[in-house]
């Protein structure tokens, strides 16, 4: 079964919160596929990962680029796991039909977007019925995370 974590963004944008999550996962040896619900959003995510710190970046690429299979973090809107990731990050209510192929799935949801919250609730229910291990993390006022369920 897949370990599933919901991250409810309320204080920061996805572009602010995602690099820190990815950095921690990379430091723990994960290969990561970040799936967005909109192909046009990939460039914005890429820019956020290149400049998330003054002297640092998250090594990554987009599925449409050359050597995508070699990227430790791959940005895509498709279902293909080109970089053989073991961690899936879902953003913007993206397709979750293949989560069983990953050991860890993190759903990032914008708490100010009613559609994303609605989709996340539907996903939670389906994951629970399928027997996955699920946790819910709410963003604190200072941008940290607190486990609520």
């Amino acid at each position: 079964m897949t370990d599933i974590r919901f991250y409810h963004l309320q204080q920061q944008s996805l572009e602010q919160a995602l690099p820190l999550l990815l950095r921690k996962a990379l430091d723990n040896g994960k290969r990561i596929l970040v799936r967005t619900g909109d192909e046009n959003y990939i460039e914005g995510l890429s820019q956020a990962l290149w400049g998330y710190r003054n002297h640092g970046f998250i090594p990554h690429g987009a599925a449409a680029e050359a050597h995508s299979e070699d990227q430790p973090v791959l940005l895509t809107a498709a279902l293909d796991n080109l970089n053989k990731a073991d961690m899936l990050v879902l953003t913007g209510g993206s397709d979750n039909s293949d989560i069983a192929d990953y050991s860890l799935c993190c759903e990032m949801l914008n708490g100010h977007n009613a559609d994303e919250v609605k989709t996340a609730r539907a996903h939670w229910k389906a994951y629970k019925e399928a027997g996955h291990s699920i946790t819910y993390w709410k963003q604190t006022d200072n941008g940290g995370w607190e486990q609520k369920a």
Side-chain angles (χ1 to χ4, degrees):
M1 289 307 207
T2 303
D3 179 20
I4 300 170
R5 301 175 189 166
F6 284 83
Y7 289 92
H8 193 160
L9 298 164
Q10 295 183 299
Q11 305 302 322
Q12 294 176 316
S13 68
L14 176 65
E15 295 83 0
Q16 293 169 312
L18 183 62
L20 300 173
L21 177 79
L22 296 177
R23 177 78 273 153
K24 187 173 182 178
L26 287 170
D27 290 347
N28 286 317
K30 296 285 188 188
R31 288 185 69 81
I32 307 154
L33 185 77
V34 178
R35 184 177 299 143
T36 179
D38 183 355
E39 183 79 32
N40 296 320
Y41 196 56
I42 291 173
E43 181 60 32
L45 284 178
S46 181
Q47 291 303 315
L49 298 182
W50 279 119
Y52 93 103
R53 289 206 172 142
N54 289 339
H55 301 290
F57 67 95
I58 300 294
H60 70 283
E65 298 170 352
H67 308 290
S68 57
E69 68 278 359
D70 297 327
Q71 298 299 329
V73 175
L74 187 64
L75 308 176
T76 187
L79 289 174
D80 300 326
N81 185 358
L82 298 175
N83 68 337
K84 306 292 187 252
D86 56 344
M87 177 179 167
L88 174 65
V89 177
L90 298 173
T91 69
S94 54
D95 191 314
N96 70 342
S97 62
D98 63 342
I99 65 156
D101 297 340
Y102 301 87
S103 61
L104 175 61
C105 174
C106 298
E107 287 217 22
M108 310 290 289
L109 65 132
N110 178 345
H112 305 289
N113 182 316
D115 290 336
E116 284 188 32
V117 172
K118 183 179 178 180
T119 298
R121 286 182 177 141
H123 287 181
W124 178 286
K125 183 178 179 187
Y127 296 151
K128 189 141 183 95
E129 289 171 358
H132 294 286
S133 171
I134 309 169
T135 55
Y136 170 79
W137 299 82
K138 185 176 180 183
Q139 202 166 39
T140 63
D141 289 340
N142 65 358
W145 296 99
E146 181 178 22
Q147 185 174 350
K148 293 292 191 174

